[in-house]
Amino acid sequence: MSLADDYDVDVTFYHRDGTIYADTRAGAPEHLMVLLDDLGLDRHRVEGDAWHQIPDEMDEIAMKTMADRLVPLMARAGYRVDIDAGLFGGTAYRAALAEQAAHRPAPPPTPPAAQARRTR
């Protein structure tokens, strides 16, 4: 089980020990892994476990640019993303929330009988 599984998302970005990680769900599809590769993240594997990291040489502007590209790409591909609010100046985090909300299906309408019970 991964941190992304714990958060019930497809990818979660977090900071630990001076490194920014992108953790995917256990058994993430190769399409998702390639999408993260194509965004400039470094893929790592150890004993069957795979994850991505922001390259050490990537500066803050490049990280923000990558995050701004990542959010809409992931949402359009149907992936849910969690970005720690302290990363990338917080703008990518807010954009991830807004983008996910825009692509989330609307809840089904409440039947009239249920609405009447709630008003009593």
Side-chain angles (χ1 to χ4, degrees), residues 82-101:
D82 172 71
I83 300 175
D84 182 12
L87 297 177
F88 317 123
T91 56
Y93 176 75
R94 288 189 297 279
L97 294 178
E99 192 74 30
Q100 287 178 26

Side-chain angles (χ1 to χ4, degrees), residues 39 59-71 88:
L39 286 165
D59 65 26
E60 190 173 335
I61 293 170
M63 279 190 255
K64 180 167 179 346
T65 301
M66 180 275 307
D68 289 344
R69 287 181 50 219
L70 174 133
V71 170
F88 317 123

Side-chain angles (χ1 to χ4, degrees), residues 50-62:
W51 70 92
H52 283 82
Q53 292 177 204
I54 301 286
D56 291 335
E57 65 276 0
M58 189 179 279
D59 65 26
E60 190 173 335
I61 293 170

Side-chain angles (χ1 to χ4, degrees), residues 19 26 38-39 42 44-45 49 71 81 99 117 120:
T19 302
D38 291 346
L39 286 165
D42 291 335
H44 297 267
R45 291 181 194 266
D49 189 20
V71 170
V81 179
E99 192 74 30
R117 280 194 297 265
R120 294 183 193 161

